[in-house]
Amino acid sequence: MSSSEFPCDAAEVVRLPSSLPAATVLLIEPFYGGSHRQLMDFLAADLGQSALLCATPAKKWHWVARVSALHFAQVIPEGHCFRSIFASSVLNLAELMSLRPDLAGCRKILYFHENQLVYPAQEEKERDFQYGYNQILSALVADINVFNSQFNLDSFLENIDKFLAKIPTARPKRSVASEIRPKCRVIYFPLNLPSFRFTPKTSRLRTPDLACKLCNMDETLLTGASTCGRNSSVLGESQISRQQLPLHIVWPHRWEHDKNPDFFVSVLEILRSEDIPFRLSVVGEQFSEVPDSFQHVAFAFGDCLKRLGYLPSKEEYFAVLMDADVVVSTANHEFFGAAMLEAVHFGCYPLAPRRLVYPELYPDQYLYDPSKLSNLVDILRIFCLNPSLVRSSRPHLDVSCFSWPALRQKFLFS
């Protein structure tokens, strides 16, 4: 994108085109990080001079979900020619429109990466009514509500009226879901998929640009794995043929309770108790509160750990996926699952629970019964004892339909 970037303060990013009147699309992202940032960057780059991006960093989600409308009301220029607004549902769009009535005539598009009506709280009494209520109000104000999966859309609409039924007095007199439904559509989240030529994973290295990183990857194992474990997993690995190495399992998800890490660790512990060989990488974004399960992983599985911890470099992250054989999800909460699809792009065999968004995206052969711990254990046991089953061929999944080139026209509303 041809633009200048002005960090107005430590918590704000505003990217202005060279001439503000040229901007007809206003992009607003209160949580500018991860998948939220990726989507906005795709749009900003494609729209170029016709877009103005206003964003705040991906910090303190609970705060920005509550108060970012006031912040953006003050930051968004008043002298503008905006015709469209594209924002994530973290923003309270209703509040922004009341604070900035000059924006009310714009076509307002809201993108739902998730919805707070079914976001799993550890205890129901901990669920904050305001977050879901803000999303409902924003959906009412928006002209178009876009969801990253049919599961996300359906779970939102199906829960609106019973969510509002919790209100003890002054409840809505008619169905709010029926007002929102006609304005809803699904556009899958666009993945950033680097070009990649698949060869069966029985060969050690596949592309020269990542090959050198892959060879050195084990030497940078993050603190936590035992020394003897690191040495035993690295020793001579570059000289060992791919076929002789244990199965490499990767778990590339946020380190939070809604991704159900306890279930995953329990599966690994059963495999370990049976002396089943495997290699393990646990990567994904970490936050201030880390589930106890991950502390346990470093000590219990140190001898088979290849990577443990968040990889800020995309090249390192992709190198792990290239080396892995199987990618596993144990999520209790997932509206799309970009990390799983990225792993599939690099040839990993996916194993996901038969619930949430996964039946929408994956054929049944890649799904397991999440109500039975033994089901996932049985599948991984077979793969660990026979790695060639997953190394000899690519999963029968074409994820190119989720790439930005495939989806960009659907996103260019302006």
Side-chain angles (χ1 to χ4, degrees):
M1 174 177 143
S2 174
S3 66
S4 301
E5 184 171 314
F6 300 93
C8 300
D9 57 44
E12 178 187 325
V13 174
V14 179
R15 292 182 182 173
L16 295 171
S18 57
S19 174
L20 179 59
T24 58
V25 181
L26 175 61
L27 306 174
I28 306 176
E29 181 49 74
F31 200 72
Y32 188 56
S35 59
H36 291 235
R37 177 170 185 163
Q38 182 167 302
L39 176 56
M40 288 299 180
D41 284 352
F42 275 141
L43 289 167
D46 221 300
L47 293 168
Q49 293 297 308
S50 53
L52 167 67
L53 171 62
C54 294
T56 50
K59 297 178 180 178
K60 305 294 183 182
W61 181 92
H62 296 88
W63 274 105
V64 297
R66 285 183 180 276
V67 305
S68 61
L70 177 59
H71 171 82
F72 287 115
Q74 297 178 346
V75 169
I76 296 167
E78 294 187 5
H80 63 79
C81 297
F82 299 129
R83 295 199 300 265
S84 298
I85 297 172
F86 186 99
S88 80
S89 63
V90 178
L91 175 71
N92 188 328
L93 189 60
E95 284 187 352
L96 180 62
M97 292 302 102
S98 65
L99 293 168
R100 287 293 303 272
D102 58 305
L103 298 172
C106 298
R107 181 170 52 164
K108 297 169 286 295
I109 304 155
L110 202 64
Y111 193 80
F112 286 74
H113 293 266
E114 45 74 32
N115 79 74
Q116 288 297 308
L117 305 192
V118 295
Y119 193 94
Q122 287 182 285
E123 294 184 37
E124 185 59 30
K125 65 181 180 181
E126 295 178 358
R127 186 182 301 279
D128 192 317
F129 182 85
Q130 194 66 41
Y131 299 129
Y133 185 67
N134 287 355
Q135 286 192 326
I136 292 171
L137 290 183
S138 294
L140 283 167
V141 170
D143 298 297
I144 303 174
N145 295 295
V146 184
F147 293 78
N148 62 352
S149 67
Q150 190 66 45
F151 168 74
N152 192 1
L153 187 157
D154 291 342
S155 62
F156 183 70
L157 292 177
E158 290 168 3
N159 284 277
I160 288 175
D161 292 334
K162 55 186 173 184
F163 183 86
L164 295 176
K166 299 176 183 178
I167 300 173
T169 185
R171 294 176 184 167
K173 295 299 184 182
R174 57 182 181 273
S175 171
V176 173
S178 63
E179 294 184 44
I180 295 174
R181 187 181 301 275
K183 302 190 291 182
C184 295
R185 65 178 70 172
V186 173
I187 305 179
Y188 288 122
F189 174 76
L191 301 176
N192 183 11
L193 299 176
S195 58
F196 169 68
R197 181 177 59 83
F198 177 82
T199 58
K201 290 199 172 186
T202 49
S203 66
R204 170 64 179 162
L205 302 174
R206 283 155 289 163
T207 56
D209 57 332
L210 291 179
C212 59
K213 295 180 176 62
L214 192 56
C215 288
N216 297 324
M217 185 171 61
D218 298 291
E219 297 302 327
T220 57
L221 182 68
L222 300 185
T223 304
S226 64
T227 304
C228 63
R230 180 177 60 193
N231 290 341
S232 63
S233 66
V234 172
L235 183 61
E237 183 169 311
S238 60
Q239 283 76 45
I240 299 174
S241 69
R242 179 77 185 194
Q243 297 94 314
Q244 294 174 285
L245 291 170
L247 189 82
H248 184 182
I249 303 168
V250 62
W251 197 88
H253 311 285
R254 282 186 291 102
W255 291 24
E256 293 187 294
H257 75 93
D258 61 288
K259 300 304 180 184
N260 203 8
D262 293 346
F263 189 94
F264 181 61
V265 170
S266 296
V267 168
L268 297 179
E269 287 178 331
I270 293 174
L271 294 175
R272 171 54 63 87
S273 70
E274 298 176 3
D275 292 324
I276 303 292
F278 60 86
R279 295 175 297 153
L280 176 66
S281 290
V282 178
V283 293
E285 194 170 0
Q286 304 167 53
F287 297 92
S288 56
E289 294 184 13
V290 177
D292 294 339
S293 310
F294 294 106
Q295 305 296 334
H296 178 66
V297 165
F299 296 99
F301 306 105
D303 58 329
C304 60
L305 270 174
K306 288 181 65 63
R307 294 308 297 252
L308 176 64
Y310 177 63
L311 301 174
S313 164
K314 273 288 187 181
E315 289 182 327
E316 277 191 290
Y317 176 63
F318 290 154
V320 171
L321 300 184
M322 287 176 65
D323 186 63
D325 300 300
V326 174
V327 59
V328 176
S329 171
T330 50
N332 286 327
H333 153 70
E334 193 62 80
F335 293 107
F336 182 70
M340 289 288 287
L341 290 168
E342 286 174 341
V344 171
H345 174 69
F346 284 102
C348 290
Y349 189 101
L351 291 175
R354 192 177 287 107
R355 64 183 174 201
L356 309 171
V357 71
Y358 295 116
E360 179 181 340
L361 303 180
Y362 297 89
D364 195 64
Q365 70 190 85
Y366 301 114
L367 306 177
Y368 64 86
D369 182 355
S371 68
K372 298 177 181 177
L373 187 73
S374 60
N375 190 210
L376 181 56
V377 171
D378 290 344
I379 296 170
L380 283 174
R381 183 190 294 112
I382 292 171
F383 288 165
C384 287
L385 295 176
N386 304 276
S388 62
L389 292 176
V390 294
R391 288 175 179 165
S392 58
S393 62
R394 187 184 182 93
H396 298 294
L397 291 168
D398 181 11
V399 299
S400 63
C401 61
F402 301 110
S403 67
W404 175 248
L407 293 171
R408 63 179 294 276
Q409 285 299 327
K410 295 183 179 181
F411 278 99
L412 299 180
F413 297 95
S414 59

